[in-house]
Amino acid sequence: MNKLFSVPLKGGNVTDVFNVDSIDELCAYLESVRADKLYVFDTNTAQILPSLPARSIVLPSGEKEKRWASIDRILSRALSLGMARDSIFVAIGGGVILDMTAFAASVYMRGSRCILVPTTLLSAVDATLGGKTGIDYGDAKNIVGTFYPAESVLIAPDTLSTLSDREFRCGLGEVIKHAFLSEDRRLYQFLSDNKDRILKRDKGVVSEMIKLSLEVKIHYITLDPEEKKGIRSCLNLGHTFGHALEAMKGYGISHGEGVAWGMARAFEAGAAIGITPISYRDECIALIKSYGFDTDYKICASEMSRFMDAIGKDKKKKGGAVRFVLMEENGKPCLLPLENDTVKYAVSND
Ligand SMILES: NC(=O)c1ccc[n+]([C@@H]2O[C@H](COP(=O)([O-])OP(=O)(O)OC[C@H]3O[C@@H](n4cnc5c(N)ncnc54)[C@H](O)[C@@H]3O)[C@@H](O)[C@H]2O)c1
């Protein structure tokens, strides 16, 4: 087990991020932490440890479970176990379990301890750092929540071995996004050079990829921890277009597929208004495509008004206008409103 980062937080605290070599090492470490614990799993991640710890709760899996009822169950179990403020909520799962467990930890006794063990690639690179916790409410995603960074994050690439190819690829969408947002291009080059080994989930290569990806996330969240300066918002590259596609398709496509398609649209839109150099647009879309994502899907005329409605609902609206993350060059994102005609051009090429 080795420490990858100590991420500085407000008030002098840190989140320690560790790479853990095996499931056995993960269990040994968790057992060695001297505190009462409550483990939170979903029905899929409950199989990850060799046996289920006695003080556990197993929730149904999936985004539809990311709601009050699940928080209620976690808090009731914590209370019935007599957990105190210095007890630890240990989340073992994808982003849904991580976000909910950290939310429960943030409100239990006005804040107790929290350790995150991500078991999807997406959650490892995106949902572990930055402190965003929460649940969906009504039909709004992540609309109720807190900022509550975990005290530690334990990344064990062995936990990813049971992920479906589709879930693994979903995480790659976010990794590719981090490659574009990184000024130094190491992750971009790494993705270009190691595609086959990444897709085969070679453990060493996947560990290095996660580390490089987290470096980019850390850069943005430390500059703008609470998303108030328009810097952290740039981590939403591809999300405005992608969420609209996901919403229009009734969430029949995965989040990663939506983001990958959305990034390609952001490159098209940026090139159309002269922000993104054409050659950079083309090389980035080629990289996304090389990882098996469909970047060519077009919104047809009969879908366009529903798509534009979905874009208008984007929650990153400022002053009435939706702001899109566009790229000037690698590591140089900007937030800009777009004319409807530019959006339509970027998604249909008409
Ligand atoms: N807090 C943040 O900063 C942040 C960032 C990005 C995403 N998120 C949130 O994360 C969620 C998406 O995360 P996700 O894609 O991990 O979704 P998820 O947690 O629903 O996991 C996806 C599926 O994979 C299963 N699964 C998890 N680990 C597995 C494993 N090792 N083997 C087999 N199956 C496994 C889950 O049970 C689930 O069915 C969204 O709710 C999103 O809002 C939060």
Side-chain angles (χ1 to χ4, degrees), residues 110-182:
R110 299 192 177 84
S112 22
R113 299 171 65 190
C114 182
I115 293 179
L116 302 179
V117 183
T119 63
T120 60
L121 179 58
L122 183 136
S123 61
V125 298
D126 208 15
T128 46
L129 295 179
K132 285 187 181 175
T133 83
I135 52 169
D136 305 334
Y137 194 79
D139 60 2
K141 214 170 159 313
N142 295 326
I143 205 77
V144 173
T146 54
F147 277 102
Y148 198 70
E151 66 180 48
S152 33
V153 171
L154 309 176
I155 297 177
D158 279 353
T159 62
L160 306 182
S161 64
T162 49
L163 277 183
S164 66
D165 283 344
R166 192 168 186 208
E167 287 295 349
F168 187 75
R169 197 185 304 280
C170 185
L172 285 174
E174 299 290 345
V175 175
I176 295 170
K177 178 195 80 180
H178 286 160
F180 297 146
L181 290 173
S182 167

Side-chain angles (χ1 to χ4, degrees), residues 291-311:
Y291 274 89
F293 290 106
D294 178 3
T295 56
D296 294 330
Y297 182 80
K298 302 277 183 288
I299 303 294
C300 62
S302 64
E303 295 172 319
M304 193 58 87
S305 75
R306 270 198 307 140
F307 182 81
M308 294 305 288
D309 282 351
I311 285 274

Side-chain angles (χ1 to χ4, degrees), residues 31-53:
E31 272 164 31
S32 76
V33 180
R34 297 247 155 266
D36 281 343
K37 288 168 227 125
L38 169 59
Y39 289 82
V40 184
F41 300 91
D42 72 20
T43 42
N44 293 320
T45 63
Q47 336 293 331
I48 282 176
L49 302 186
S51 61
L52 202 63

Side-chain angles (χ1 to χ4, degrees), residues 316-337:
K316 290 171 291 297
K317 268 185 179 185
K318 277 243 167 130
V322 179
R323 296 196 305 164
F324 293 78
V325 184
L326 304 177
M327 298 300 297
E328 292 174 29
E329 58 183 90
N330 222 70
K332 289 240 157 43
C334 57
L335 275 173
L336 284 177

